[in-house]
């Protein structure tokens, strides 16, 4: 496939557009999008206009936001209207959420009154809520329909729906009453009524529930689509698996950024300006830099210990690094388990006991290996070696318990657990490790 794309790019550079069109219309829309993104704007618009209308809409959906914006500015209102008319409703909402206000205004000008009303309603849902993810392109059925009437209804209305494999049964007030699969309808007696074959035990979400919760519902029930209801239990829309995959990708990216002490950003790395990247990183770096004054204060407090036994200084980086790494391991596992719903606040004690057991095993082994290294290989004084290794054991235990507890505390107080990851844990463990180190040194070395 790579050589085909390179061949088409070569033909474009040679301006052999007839051959380009013959080749490009047979490619996957994703690959056509990749080609367009690698062209100058004038050539990209030319190739985009070569595509059959339906294919152009599919390709538009796979182009990055920056290029979508350029295309909207460059094509006619008639072409914009065709794209808007053919895009699935949830994809159109995603597009509008990403675009600047002036582009949104141009798109809305090419929408009819009913569409504009729906768009404005969807754009008012809280960001990252089920309502902001859903689409209105689903098939609904009345429970008193016969199976024959239901199938005719699907044939008539289903052509522009995002999915017809699951149909939702509503009453006269649009309250969700059940769900029935297309397979069930086709295999049932055509004279039966829909309410006789529908499943009344419906898994659904509310418009204002968080997208992470919705993703958890998809995982828990192993489904590919979920209905969305409002506070009166009226069917409002559906969320499909393709949107949830995007959510999972977005949430994972956000967690990684928070765990690395950066403000979350949805923009691609190469498309983000250096000032924006710097701003996203700077706040936490300042906080962590200032928090390091705690460790500096501890070092100053125990200055007499360091002056008496200078060799203790050499082991401080190793203790602090091991503590930070140990805490990060526990925090990563706990944060992931919280995100997957494997643990919650009521499991705090079990998590602590598990990490205590792990930390004792890891701490004893690390301390033993370290003792062999610094006492036998480096010839360090026996009492100094014991001081370092006992401190190492306490540091690992402290780090792993802190790393396990902080994310759960964050969840309890409604803060993203990822914020309590590596940087904050490292700061706490560093201060604790130094306190333990110098206290043990004073005790064992009689300082």
């Amino acid at each position: 496939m790579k050589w085909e794309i390179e061949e088409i790019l070569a033909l474009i550079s040679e301006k052999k557009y007839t051959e380009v069109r013959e080749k490009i219309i047979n490619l996957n829309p994703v690959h056509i999008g990749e080609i367009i993104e690698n062209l100058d704007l004038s050539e990209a618009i030319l190739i985009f206009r070569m595509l059959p209308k339906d294919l152009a809409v599919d390709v538009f959906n796979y182009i990055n936001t920056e290029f979508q914006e350029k295309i909207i500015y460059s094509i006619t209102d008639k072409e914009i209207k065709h794209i808007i008319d053919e895009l699935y409703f949830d994809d159109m909402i995603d597009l509008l959420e990403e675009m600047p206000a002036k582009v949104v205004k141009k798109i809305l000008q090419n929408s009819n009154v009913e569409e504009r009303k729906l768009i404005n309603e969807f754009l008012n849902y809280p960001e990252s809520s089920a309502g902001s993810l859903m689409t209105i392109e689903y098939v609904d059925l009345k429970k008193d329909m016969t199976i024959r009437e239901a199938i005719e209804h699907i044939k008539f209305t289903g052509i522009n729906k995002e999915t017809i494999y699951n149909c939702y049964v509503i009453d006269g007030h649009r309250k969700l009453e059940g769900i029935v699969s297309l397979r069930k309808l086709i295999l049932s007696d055509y004279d039966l009524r829909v309410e006789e074959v529908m499943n009344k035990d419906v898994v659904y979400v509310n418009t204002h529930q968080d997208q992470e919760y919705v993703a958890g519902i998809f995982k828990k029930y192993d489904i590919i689509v979920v209905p969305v209801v409002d506070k009166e239990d009226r069917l409002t829309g559906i969320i499909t698996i393709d949107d949830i995959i995007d959510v999972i990708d977005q949430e994972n990216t956000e967690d990684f950024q928070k765990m690395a002490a950066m403000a979350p950003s949805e923009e691609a790395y190469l498309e983000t300006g250096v000032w924006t990247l710097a701003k996203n990183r700077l706040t936490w770096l300042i906080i962590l830099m200032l928090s390091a004054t705690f460790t500096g204060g501890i070092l100053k407090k125990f200055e007499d210990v360091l002056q008496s036994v200078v060799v203790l200084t050499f082991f401080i980086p190793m203790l602090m690094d091991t503590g930070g790494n140990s805490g990060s391991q526990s925090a990563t596992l706990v944060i992931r388990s919280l995100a997957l719903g494997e643990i919650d606040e009521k499991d705090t004690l079990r998590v602590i006991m598990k990490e205590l057991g792990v930390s004792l095993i890891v701490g004893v082994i690390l301390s033993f290996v370290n003792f062999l290294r610094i006492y036998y290989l480096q010839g360090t004084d026996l009492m100094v070696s014991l001081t370092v290794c006992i401190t190492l054991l306490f540091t690992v235990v402290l780090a792993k318990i802190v790393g396990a507890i902080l994310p759960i505390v964050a969840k309890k107080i409604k803060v993203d657990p990822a914020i309590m990851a590596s940087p904050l844990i490292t700061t706490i463990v560093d201060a604790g490790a130094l306190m333990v180190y110098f206290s043990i040194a004073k005790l064992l070395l009689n300082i």
Side-chain angles (χ1 to χ4, degrees), residues 35-48:
I35 292 172
I36 288 176
E37 289 175 356
N38 282 286
L39 298 173
D40 294 332
L41 181 59
S42 58
E43 289 182 329
I45 297 300
L46 180 62
I47 298 304
F48 186 77

Side-chain angles (χ1 to χ4, degrees), residues 287-300 427:
I287 292 171
L288 295 171
M289 179 183 70
L290 295 177
S291 69
T293 56
F294 290 112
T295 55
I298 294 170
L299 287 171
K300 187 173 182 180
T427 302

Side-chain angles (χ1 to χ4, degrees), residues 124-135:
N124 284 328
Y125 282 115
E127 186 180 359
S128 302
S129 68
S132 68
L133 288 175
M134 68 186 182
T135 178

Side-chain angles (χ1 to χ4, degrees), residues 158-400:
I159 190 167
N160 293 319
K161 305 301 182 184
E162 186 154 351
T163 178
I164 62 172
Y165 301 117
N166 289 296
C167 304
Y168 301 94
V169 186
I170 56 176
D171 65 11
H173 301 288
R174 296 201 60 78
K175 286 194 174 183
L176 181 62
E177 297 223 338
I179 182 173
V180 60
S181 68
L182 182 61
R183 176 191 179 96
K184 183 78 171 178
L185 290 172
I186 292 173
L187 297 178
S188 297
D189 186 330
Y190 280 19
D191 293 324
L192 292 174
R193 293 201 299 180
V194 170
E195 66 178 335
E196 296 179 74
V197 298
M198 72 181 186
N199 180 5
K200 295 182 181 180
D201 185 18
V202 187
V203 177
Y204 61 87
V205 296
N206 187 275
T207 50
H208 284 72
Q209 285 178 313
D210 187 80
Q211 62 183 19
E212 271 193 278
Y213 172 82
V214 179
I217 291 294
F218 272 79
K219 180 178 182 295
K220 181 178 180 179
Y221 293 98
D222 196 21
I223 52 180
I224 60 171
V225 61
V226 68
V228 184
V229 301
D230 62 15
K231 58 184 179 181
E232 279 86 30
D233 290 336
R234 292 174 300 198
L235 183 62
T236 307
I238 62 171
I239 299 174
T240 51
I241 188 67
D242 58 318
D243 296 309
I244 288 303
I245 290 172
D246 292 338
V247 167
I248 293 170
D249 184 42
Q250 176 189 331
E251 292 291 342
N252 287 342
T253 301
E254 183 179 299
D255 284 348
F256 277 122
Q257 289 170 334
K258 287 180 178 178
M259 289 170 71
M262 294 187 292
S265 172
E266 294 182 12
E267 294 184 47
Y269 174 75
L270 292 177
E271 295 172 14
T272 307
V274 291
W275 282 107
T276 302
L277 288 172
K279 181 184 69 174
N280 289 344
R281 302 177 191 186
L282 195 56
T283 303
W284 265 106
L285 287 175
I286 291 173
I287 292 171
L288 295 171
M289 179 183 70
L290 295 177
S291 69
T293 56
F294 290 112
T295 55
I298 294 170
L299 287 171
K300 187 173 182 180
K301 180 181 178 181
F302 290 98
E303 187 178 1
D304 56 332
V305 177
L306 288 175
Q307 288 177 345
S308 300
V309 188
V310 177
V311 71
L312 291 175
T313 309
F314 304 146
F315 300 105
I316 291 176
M318 180 272 295
L319 291 170
M320 296 173 76
D321 287 348
T322 304
N325 293 335
S326 298
S328 296
Q329 288 178 336
S330 298
T332 300
L333 287 174
V334 172
I335 289 169
R336 190 62 183 152
S337 296
L338 286 168
L340 294 174
E342 295 174 352
I343 61 173
D344 55 29
E345 293 93 326
K346 71 176 184 295
D347 298 310
T348 303
L349 184 58
R350 292 176 61 193
V351 172
I352 292 173
M353 295 307 296
K354 185 176 286 289
E355 287 302 317
L356 178 60
V358 172
S359 63
L360 287 172
I361 294 171
V362 171
V364 168
I365 294 173
L366 288 177
S367 298
F368 178 71
V369 171
N370 199 48
F371 181 80
L372 295 178
R373 179 179 68 88
I374 64 177
Y375 181 67
Y376 288 103
L377 297 181
Q378 295 181 356
T380 305
D381 178 77
L382 175 62
M383 297 310 292
V384 171
S385 299
L386 287 173
T387 298
V388 172
C389 293
I390 293 171
T391 303
L392 183 60
L393 173 60
F394 276 99
T395 299
V396 171
V397 172
L398 173 66
K400 289 199 172 292

